[in-house]
Amino acid sequence: MANKKRKGREIKKKLLHKYRLVILNESTFEEKISFKLNRLNVFVTGTLFIIVLIGLTTLLIAFTPLREYIPGYSSTRLKRQATELTYRTDSLVTVLNYTNRYLDNVRLVLRGEVENNETNRDSLFERYKLDPSKVNLDPIEQDLRLREEVALEDKYNLFERNLEDFGNALFPPVTGTISQGFDAEKKHFAIDVVAAQGSPVKAVADGTVIFSEWTAETGYVIILEHRDNIISVYKHNGSLSKSQGDLVRSGEVIASVGNTGELTTGPHLHFELWLDGKPKDPADFIDFN
């Protein structure tokens, strides 16, 4: 017990023992500065200095651009660019999905595949069955206006008019002899018009080019989208005069008659007409002679 007390006094004596730090002129040995120190003061002062130094270093790294030069830290600009790229990538994925869906629909038109969705009419009638006694059938003012607008639109609707008026509504894409007519049972949703090689192929109505490319089976193909969900398709062309996205007028030259593609049998135009995703017989609407 006495030894422990003696050791404690010795340690305390060493920590509090006075030392003098003197700075002398080397040439004249003149005393310039002197400090009275002990080991405890040196230890406390050094510890405080280290703590302050660590704190200043931390603040310098956290609140200044110097942290960008330390491995593991990323710059603010880099984070902002990463965030912008993430949003752009998400937008591009959405646009890509819409584009793929659009191209799938175009491929269905090119192949002539038509879905036949069957619906149970009885289930629909039962689901939406109403009690006439509870329904107010008196037309309101807005209903009367809507009926007048619909009647006016139907008056000039391309596919609601009489058959004899269609010849004046659609421009013949080419004139010639029909070698094969429209046959839905054989999935030939078009008519083949024989014409001289290089004859101009014209747009049947005003519209936008939604497809203009080469295909292995049908050669040069161009597809136009018109008003009222009408699509016209021109296949086996010898060359194309319009590109995707171009606007065309009725009767404007868009291609030339050719003999391209694996399924062709000679110079002719394979012409299809679609309404609301369903094929229509072009011969009912256009005079090709």
Side-chain angles (χ1 to χ4, degrees), residues 27-44:
S27 301
T28 62
F29 296 101
E30 180 185 359
E31 182 178 330
K32 294 295 185 181
I33 303 174
S34 65
F35 300 96
K36 288 182 179 181
L37 302 172
N38 55 44
R39 294 180 179 178
L40 182 60
N41 290 339
V42 173
F43 176 75
V44 173

Side-chain angles (χ1 to χ4, degrees), residues 63-172:
F63 297 101
T64 64
L66 290 177
R67 66 178 180 273
E68 299 178 7
Y69 298 96
I70 299 177
Y73 285 89
S74 58
S75 64
T76 305
R77 188 180 67 176
L78 183 61
K79 291 182 179 179
R80 184 168 57 252
Q81 290 178 348
T83 304
E84 292 177 357
L85 289 176
T86 301
Y87 286 124
R88 289 182 181 180
T89 302
D90 183 67
S91 301
L92 288 175
V93 170
T94 303
V95 173
L96 180 61
N97 292 333
Y98 285 135
T99 303
N100 289 336
R101 193 179 308 168
Y102 178 79
L103 291 177
D104 290 338
N105 293 333
V106 173
R107 292 191 187 97
L108 290 177
V109 174
L110 290 173
R111 298 195 199 105
E113 298 178 0
V114 181
E115 287 190 23
N116 185 15
N117 297 325
E118 296 182 358
T119 305
N120 190 341
R121 296 179 58 191
D122 294 336
S123 63
L124 290 176
F125 292 155
E126 193 67 28
R127 180 178 178 182
Y128 298 102
K129 189 175 181 181
L130 298 175
D131 187 0
S133 61
K134 298 180 180 180
V135 180
N136 184 7
L137 300 179
D138 296 333
I140 60 178
E141 183 178 356
Q142 291 84 349
D143 184 31
L144 294 175
R145 292 179 182 177
L146 179 61
R147 292 183 183 182
E148 292 177 359
E149 293 178 1
V150 172
L152 183 61
E153 291 179 358
D154 290 342
K155 182 178 180 181
Y156 299 100
N157 193 318
L158 180 62
F159 284 92
E160 292 294 335
R161 288 185 279 173
N162 295 328
L163 292 179
E164 57 268 16
D165 295 335
F166 287 163
N168 298 325
L170 295 179
F171 195 91

Side-chain angles (χ1 to χ4, degrees), residues 234-250:
Y234 314 76
K235 299 180 180 180
H236 301 300
N237 297 288
S239 62
L240 302 177
S241 304
K242 299 294 181 179
S243 303
Q244 183 174 344
D246 290 346
L247 299 177
V248 298
R249 305 290 296 177
S250 177

Side-chain angles (χ1 to χ4, degrees), residues 210-227:
I210 61 174
F211 185 86
S212 179
E213 295 290 343
W214 164 271
T215 62
E217 294 183 350
T218 55
Y220 287 108
V221 179
I222 185 169
I223 302 177
L224 305 183
E225 183 179 18
H226 311 283
R227 294 181 55 186

